[in-house]
Amino acid sequence: MIKEKMLNALNEQINAEQYSSLLYLSMSAWCSEKGLPGFANWMYVQYQEEMTHANKFFKYIVERGGRASLKAIKQMPVEFDSILDVVEKTQAHEQLVTSLINNLVDIAVEERDHATQSFLKWFVDEQVEEEANVQEILDTLKLINGQGNGIFMLDRELRQRVFVDSTAATAV
Ligand code: FEO
């Protein structure tokens, strides 16, 4: 049976992942409206991924005999200054999520909860990838420096992103 402190922290993370998913869905809507279907697609895939993250925490809690508790999700931003603002906020958000995951690992270590430490390893690795992906887009956007042609090309590239449930192979 999972200890209460760990359980509460994992339940908070369900909420954080659900918030992440809606943040990216909101960004996707903004990008669509601004005529950036590729960015909108990338953000929509990001939304789908975050849902799988939330569900992975949910399933893990249940598997450990805990009660998964769902909470209200705070309002996510709906307006952005520019596509650069969207991507910078994505980067800041992923950095925040990394710190949340690290905090969960710290609690699992304190609580000597080896199963949860093992479970969280997937998320530690996932965050490295998440941060690298958004950093790449941000670097390209900065190189483009607001030039319409460059944004058009990048948008076309981002249209290629397809959702793959990377939690499926290791689903609990
Ligand atoms: Fe679920 Fe983007 O971290």
Side-chain angles (χ1 to χ4, degrees):
M1 187 78 172
I2 199 157
K3 288 189 191 155
E4 195 179 347
K5 185 175 179 186
M6 192 77 257
L7 175 64
N8 291 342
L10 292 170
N11 270 322
E12 287 299 324
Q13 193 64 25
I14 293 180
N15 189 267
E17 300 288 347
Q18 289 178 331
Y19 172 83
S20 302
S21 74
L22 295 183
L23 171 66
Y24 296 134
L25 190 60
S26 176
M27 287 174 169
S28 178
W30 186 91
C31 293
S32 286
E33 195 205 355
K34 300 296 172 188
L36 295 165
F39 280 94
N41 173 61
W42 194 92
M43 287 297 173
Y44 193 84
V45 171
Q46 196 71 7
Y47 148 72
Q48 290 173 295
E49 277 199 359
E50 299 299 350
M51 291 298 290
T52 68
H53 295 173
N55 294 343
K56 191 172 172 75
F57 278 102
F58 180 95
K59 288 178 191 166
Y60 177 72
I61 289 170
V62 171
E63 192 181 36
R64 291 289 308 277
R67 168 79 179 268
S69 70
L70 303 175
K71 301 179 177 74
I73 299 163
K74 70 177 181 187
Q75 176 66 50
M76 73 300 302
V78 294
E79 284 301 336
F80 304 94
D81 297 337
S82 62
I83 189 59
L84 182 64
D85 182 39
V86 168
V87 178
E88 282 177 340
K89 286 196 165 94
T90 301
Q91 182 188 47
H93 187 68
E94 286 306 323
Q95 288 168 345
L96 171 70
V97 172
T98 298
S99 72
L100 295 176
I101 298 291
N102 289 341
N103 190 44
L104 288 175
V105 175
D106 288 345
I107 296 171
V109 170
E110 272 171 33
E111 298 288 316
R112 298 179 51 78
D113 184 339
H114 298 288
T116 302
Q117 285 177 54
S118 173
F119 167 76
L120 289 171
K121 189 179 176 308
W122 187 90
F123 284 95
V124 171
D125 296 342
E126 174 71 8
Q127 281 312 117
V128 172
E129 194 183 318
E130 291 267 76
E131 286 201 37
N133 288 345
V134 71
Q135 185 67 55
E136 194 179 323
I137 297 172
L138 192 55
D139 289 346
T140 308
L141 258 186
K142 284 181 177 169
L143 272 178
I144 289 167
N145 197 20
Q147 306 271 332
N149 265 0
I151 291 176
F152 178 75
M153 295 298 288
L154 178 58
D155 190 70
R156 269 178 60 160
E157 192 184 317
L158 297 179
R159 217 184 277 202
Q160 310 301 321
R161 188 181 188 196
V162 176
F163 170 65
V164 177
D165 183 356
S166 53
T167 68
T170 54
V172 289

